[in-house]
Amino acid sequence: VMSSSIPSFSSLAVAVRNCDECSSSSPEKFQEFLDYLVNAYHRHFLFSTATEWKTRKLMRRLHEKLFSDGSEKGKSTKSNDDDRKEDDKEKRKDERMIERLANDSIMILKKAVGKDWTADALAEKLLTEYKCGAELASSMHEIFSKHKEKLERSFARGTFGIVKRLESVCWRTQVELYDSNSNDTTGKETRDEVTAVLELRMEKNETTSIEFKKEELLTFFKELETIQMKIDDLH
């Protein structure tokens, strides 16, 4: 019998596990971390989508939210170059860890928004399908209850990568002509197949060309129709 739970190797399952470990060890600080993260993420996409949201300043601030126990204050000032290099290495390591945790938290919340889950449904999924601790389920429930609309607006403004705006679209058809002088008649149907080429021109004169066979083009336009219907529903 196949289990209905999400495979442990999925990226979302890994994200849940990472957040679960942090939340279990320090639930109150993780809650502060989430709250600050969501507000910072929203502020960024409220004003701009042209820059990377994971700034070093934000990562340092999120690090303070999780580890602001005053332990740094008692440390002696280091003057040795090797010691300073070691400190810098540790700081970069911490920033990478916090960045991963921020990415994982956003991934979970994006999943919930994309599936149109309620806060109760999100908590239930985390507990039953992902087998996380009650601390993470409670934290995600609280943050989703408070900020679901804010998250929806933020994710709507965000993109999956560096922002590129479409300037124009060109198209052409092409066919590889069959050589009647050739003795090789295998694959004639394939060589004579007509394909469509779309050229998407983005800002800064960047272009991307995509080739479609007839069936692939039909599938592509069906996807576009689905996107259009979703946009129409939002209006």
Side-chain angles (χ1 to χ4, degrees):
V1 179
M2 295 294 290
S3 171
S4 61
S5 61
I6 304 299
S8 59
F9 54 81
S10 74
S11 57
L12 189 60
V14 172
V16 172
R17 186 183 64 207
N18 291 338
C19 291
D20 189 31
E21 290 176 358
C22 182
S23 178
S24 298
S25 62
S26 186
E28 291 183 2
K29 288 186 178 296
F30 185 75
Q31 187 68 56
E32 292 180 13
F33 169 91
L34 275 182
D35 199 60
Y36 192 88
L37 172 65
V38 168
N39 282 308
Y41 190 93
H42 179 66
R43 284 196 304 272
H44 173 82
F45 284 111
L46 186 64
F47 298 112
S48 171
T49 59
T51 58
E52 176 62 59
W53 68 271
K54 298 186 295 291
T55 62
R56 295 190 70 180
K57 181 179 179 181
L58 173 58
M59 294 303 111
R60 287 195 297 269
R61 191 72 182 93
L62 290 173
H63 186 275
E64 291 172 8
K65 288 292 180 183
L66 280 179
F67 303 107
S68 58
D69 56 1
S71 59
E72 297 293 325
K73 294 179 181 179
K75 289 187 177 181
S76 58
T77 303
K78 296 185 177 183
S79 57
N80 186 284
D81 287 343
D82 291 337
D83 289 337
R84 282 199 297 271
K85 289 178 181 178
E86 189 64 30
D87 282 348
D88 290 340
K89 187 186 298 184
E90 286 299 316
K91 287 178 181 177
R92 286 193 295 271
K93 181 180 178 181
D94 287 345
E95 285 179 4
R96 286 194 297 270
M97 184 269 289
I98 293 295
E99 182 175 334
R100 186 184 66 178
L101 195 59
N103 281 333
D104 290 342
S105 300
I106 291 296
M107 183 187 295
I108 295 170
L109 294 168
K110 275 187 176 180
K111 177 73 172 182
V113 168
K115 292 291 185 179
D116 198 25
W117 290 339
T118 63
D120 289 342
L122 172 58
E124 181 68 18
K125 290 279 185 181
L126 291 173
L127 288 169
T128 58
E129 292 191 20
Y130 295 94
K131 311 300 181 185
C132 77
E135 296 87 355
L136 178 61
S138 176
S139 293
M140 286 294 177
H141 184 281
E142 182 174 336
I143 207 73
F144 207 62
S145 297
K146 289 195 305 183
H147 299 304
K148 183 179 180 180
E149 291 186 2
K150 183 183 291 185
L151 287 165
E152 288 173 342
R153 294 196 300 272
S154 301
F155 295 152
R157 288 185 170 92
T159 67
F160 295 105
I162 299 173
V163 173
K164 294 182 179 179
R165 300 188 183 280
L166 185 63
E167 298 288 346
S168 64
V169 179
C170 299
W171 65 274
R172 70 178 186 273
T173 57
Q174 63 184 23
V175 59
E176 183 178 348
L177 298 178
Y178 173 63
D179 185 1
S180 60
N181 295 320
S182 173
N183 293 324
D184 181 14
T185 58
T186 61
K188 176 180 181 299
E189 295 82 2
T190 301
R191 291 197 299 274
D192 285 355
E193 185 173 21
V194 178
T195 58
V197 178
L198 294 184
E199 183 179 276
L200 310 179
R201 186 177 299 277
M202 271 73 71
E203 57 189 357
K204 298 183 180 178
N205 218 30
E206 294 182 30
T207 59
T208 298
S209 295
I210 310 172
E211 183 178 288
F212 296 93
K213 296 178 182 177
K214 181 178 179 180
E215 295 77 11
E216 294 170 339
L217 193 58
L218 287 172
T219 301
F220 176 66
F221 277 111
K222 286 179 182 177
E223 294 292 337
L224 290 180
E225 287 177 351
T226 301
I227 294 170
Q228 184 64 57
M229 286 189 291
K230 293 290 186 182
I231 293 175
D232 291 341
D233 289 343
L234 292 174
H235 288 290

